[in-house]
Amino acid sequence: MKNRVITISREFGSGGRTIGKRVAEKLGIPCYDAEIIEKMAKETGFAPDYVKEAGEYAPGSFLSSAFSNRMLGPTNEDILWEHQYKVITDLAAKGPCIIVGRCADLVLTGQNVDCLSLFICAPFEWRVHHRMELENLDEKAARALVEKTDAQREKYYTHYTGRPWGLPENYDICINSARLGIDRTAALLAEHCRELFSNPC
């Protein structure tokens, strides 16, 4: 039987990372997020903070050009993408799990896993106020952070997958976390994941 893996893509501020962890707890499976960054940092020798940041920037951005020289061979982003691809496929091969972000939905397409892809979204204003509460930011700073991070994620995802980020037909389930809140959204998704995996189409 193929391993059952749930991938979570999310708009910044929608609570997708927290939802992923809570769904994993309810299903009794591991959730990989920071663990991917740590593993990539060990394998590549890059600092964890750089690995984390590079996962949001597509090649050609200011950050990537500041740390890479294409005339000397593969860019840092190319190296990180290859390691990220391997880490994600290795984790999925180990057993059922949830993988947050990092284009995991695309990486696991065609792999020997039963992959269920989720996209967590929420209205922009709700996400701004959510980040204000989490990080004790004023509204202007939170608004700028949400806009910037969404733009980075969209560019990164589109660059490496060749398809639009957040387009509903690219995912199995899209859900607005503002409608029910973080806890109830996680509970609902855990219930649906159990049902979908027990009754595959």
Side-chain angles (χ1 to χ4, degrees):
M1 179 183 293
K2 294 181 179 180
N3 286 334
R4 292 168 174 174
V5 179
I6 299 166
T7 63
I8 295 184
S9 299
R10 73 277 186 228
E11 291 181 323
F12 186 70
S14 65
R17 177 180 287 110
T18 302
I19 289 169
K21 291 179 179 178
R22 293 183 184 175
V23 171
E25 289 171 2
K26 292 176 184 299
L27 297 179
I29 59 177
C31 179
Y32 299 116
D33 180 18
E35 296 84 356
I36 296 175
I37 294 171
E38 292 167 6
K39 189 169 178 58
M40 288 171 62
K42 276 186 182 178
E43 292 183 359
T44 63
F46 291 122
D49 285 347
Y50 175 69
V51 173
K52 181 179 180 180
E53 288 296 315
E56 302 285 0
Y57 290 83
S61 67
F62 170 78
L63 182 73
S64 66
S65 61
F67 284 87
S68 304
N69 187 335
R70 294 176 185 276
M71 298 298 293
L72 300 179
T75 66
N76 287 356
E77 287 69 35
D78 294 333
I79 293 169
L80 285 171
W81 173 256
E82 290 176 6
H83 280 273
Q84 178 173 284
Y85 193 99
K86 183 178 184 303
V87 168
I88 289 171
T89 53
D90 286 350
L91 290 173
K94 285 183 178 180
C97 62
I98 290 178
I99 300 177
V100 178
R102 301 200 166 260
C103 305
D105 54 323
L106 181 281
V107 170
L108 295 178
T109 299
Q111 301 290 334
N112 190 35
V113 296
D114 185 2
C115 183
L116 182 68
S117 60
L118 311 182
F119 187 81
I120 314 297
C121 61
F124 179 77
E125 295 298 332
W126 188 91
R127 293 187 287 127
V128 168
H129 286 90
H130 186 216
R131 297 314 300 184
M132 288 172 64
E133 293 175 4
L134 286 179
E135 301 186 45
N136 195 29
L137 298 173
D138 62 37
E139 184 172 350
K140 181 178 180 181
R143 187 177 296 274
L145 181 61
V146 172
E147 289 177 344
K148 176 183 175 183
T149 307
D150 272 354
Q152 291 166 352
R153 286 182 178 174
E154 180 176 10
K155 185 176 181 182
Y156 181 86
Y157 185 88
T158 302
H159 176 85
Y160 282 112
T161 69
R163 61 189 187 188
W165 177 70
L167 196 65
E169 53 260 46
N170 287 337
Y171 306 92
D172 297 311
I173 297 176
C174 295
I175 191 165
N176 176 358
S177 56
R179 177 71 176 180
L180 298 176
I182 302 297
D183 289 336
R184 291 180 65 195
T185 298
L188 179 66
L189 285 173
E191 180 182 343
H192 278 302
C193 289
R194 285 194 195 97
E195 182 179 349
L196 288 168
F197 278 137
S198 63
N199 297 290
C201 296

